[in-house]
Amino acid sequence: MAKHRIGIVGGDGIGPDVVAEGLKVMEAAGVEIDRVDYDLGGARYLRDGTVLPDEVLEEWRGLDAIYLGAVGAPGVPPGVIERGLLLRMRFELDLYVNIRPFRAPGHDFVVVRENTEGTYAGEGGFLRKGTPHEIATQGSVNTRMGAERAIRYAFDLAAGRDEHVTLVHKTNVLTFSGDLWQRAFDDVAAEYDGFETAYNHVDAACIYFVESPQRYDVIVTDNLFGDILTDLGGAVSGGVGLAASANLNPARTGPSMFEPVHGSAPDIAGQNKANPIAAVLSGAMMLDFLGESEAAARIEAACHANAETIGSTTEIGDLLAAAVAD
């Protein structure tokens, strides 16, 4: 196995605790990590105003991957860390697809979320702010390139699964962005012989996630819908404590970032109560992307075999480490 240079952002709350267990399990699986630690997140911002320095971002470009726990702390204004750290990371490193797998008894599906456009691009502004006649606009930026590359990634992913891809959008109301997405989806689908395709409005998909998630294999959707749907996916697949994610630069022109879906949970920080499985699974996704497929498969199998295990953060980490040890 090669030694991988990984940027570690433990972040806030339970983030450092679950990342520590993820690294423990990776080490037990025989993977060598050359860790580079970064003190970033809500606590750092409250301490000295730092969010993501330019020099850190440049340093990241030379890493193999970034492993993040959770960021966010009470007292930080909304959007400061989200836009200044997480979204800036996605935009600057071109992490254009977000992958979130969901597996539970009866279903196994993956959501491919476009990760750099849509309403998260930041287009919009205020008119007459602070007056009774205030107006706020928040646009959705969709490019053919952005939609098509996410859709193509979804089809390539489905090629190794059940060859079924569902587009989720809201084409009956979002007639411009929805039309672009539908046309891009249809054009890409025409290149994949034998694949089955489907379309769901996002509100219908919310119902199907709860009532019949087994209908899905690979879902592709835009940034905002993907953000909402994947939280629901976590809820119907054992809870967000089991939900992993990857923010990928498939072209590998820079590092990809891997993180659990859950937040920083400041109410239980430092109490050894957080379930680390989502962070461990995110680490497995990182290893798979880095070519450590055998170790990643062992870690994933151990996590799913122990998904209902009750214990402290370190107890579950120790159990998983023992399960994957050479």
Side-chain angles (χ1 to χ4, degrees):
M1 293 184 181
K3 193 170 188 177
H4 304 285
R5 188 167 173 80
I6 308 298
I8 308 297
V9 183
D12 301 306
I14 63 173
D17 299 333
V18 296
V19 161
E21 300 310 306
L23 291 169
K24 176 197 296 181
V25 175
M26 285 185 247
E27 182 180 352
V31 179
E32 288 192 71
I33 301 294
D34 178 12
R35 59 184 290 172
V36 186
D37 290 282
Y38 296 93
D39 177 16
L40 297 170
R44 175 71 186 274
Y45 171 79
L46 291 173
R47 191 164 69 247
D48 62 15
T50 298
V51 180
L52 177 55
D54 291 343
E55 59 270 23
V56 169
L57 185 62
E58 284 306 308
E59 190 173 312
W60 282 353
R61 297 184 192 279
L63 299 175
D64 295 319
I66 299 166
Y67 188 40
L68 186 145
V71 292
V76 179
V80 170
I81 301 301
E82 293 83 355
R83 296 209 69 87
L85 177 58
L86 297 177
L87 293 187
R88 187 182 179 204
M89 188 189 309
R90 294 175 191 173
F91 299 152
E92 295 279 356
L93 300 177
D94 202 21
L95 309 179
Y96 68 81
V97 289
N98 180 276
I99 310 299
R100 298 189 180 180
F102 299 102
R103 178 177 163 189
H107 67 263
D108 179 357
F109 65 92
V110 181
V111 177
V112 176
R113 165 189 172 190
E114 196 290 316
N115 211 31
T116 60
E117 297 186 349
T119 51
Y120 287 44
E123 190 275 333
F126 293 101
L127 292 173
R128 298 188 287 275
K129 187 176 182 180
T131 76
H133 303 289
E134 181 173 342
I135 300 170
T137 64
Q138 191 81 57
S140 179
V141 177
N142 299 266
T143 68
R144 173 65 186 234
M145 181 196 76
E148 184 171 322
R149 66 183 182 173
I151 292 165
R152 191 173 299 282
Y153 188 93
F155 274 87
D156 288 342
L157 182 62
R161 296 172 54 92
D162 292 337
E163 299 188 349
H164 187 288
V165 185
T166 303
L167 171 64
V168 172
H169 211 281
K170 190 68 177 173
T171 55
N172 58 338
V173 175
L174 304 178
T175 53
F176 301 121
S177 61
D179 183 69
L180 183 153
W181 271 83
Q182 185 69 71
R183 285 184 288 108
F185 183 84
D186 292 343
D187 288 349
V188 172
E191 301 176 23
Y192 290 78
D193 292 338
F195 278 56
E196 293 184 53
T197 62
Y199 171 80
N200 292 161
H201 290 323
V202 64
D203 44 344
C206 289
I207 296 171
Y208 299 147
F209 266 41
V210 175
E211 292 185 349
S212 55
Q214 68 275 5
R215 71 172 58 211
Y216 295 117
D217 178 30
V218 175
I219 295 166
V220 63
T221 189
D222 86 340
N223 210 338
L224 178 60
F225 294 150
D227 192 3
I228 296 167
L229 279 175
T230 51
D231 279 1
L232 180 56
V236 301
S237 303
V240 292
L242 303 177
S245 77
N247 298 268
L248 301 182
N249 175 334
R252 301 177 189 262
T253 57
S256 294
M257 186 270 277
F258 302 81
E259 61 175 333
V261 172
H262 61 66
S264 60
D267 56 320
I268 60 169
Q271 298 179 37
N272 204 22
K273 291 182 178 179
N275 189 334
I277 287 182
V280 176
L281 282 170
S282 299
M285 295 178 75
M286 179 175 72
L287 295 186
D288 188 58
F289 193 72
L290 293 173
E292 303 282 5
S293 299
E294 190 274 334
R298 279 191 283 134
I299 293 172
E300 183 180 354
C303 286
H304 290 300
N306 293 282
E308 297 183 6
T309 297
I310 297 173
S312 69
T313 308
T314 52
E315 286 171 344
I316 295 174
D318 289 343
L319 176 66
L320 297 174
V324 303
D326 289 333

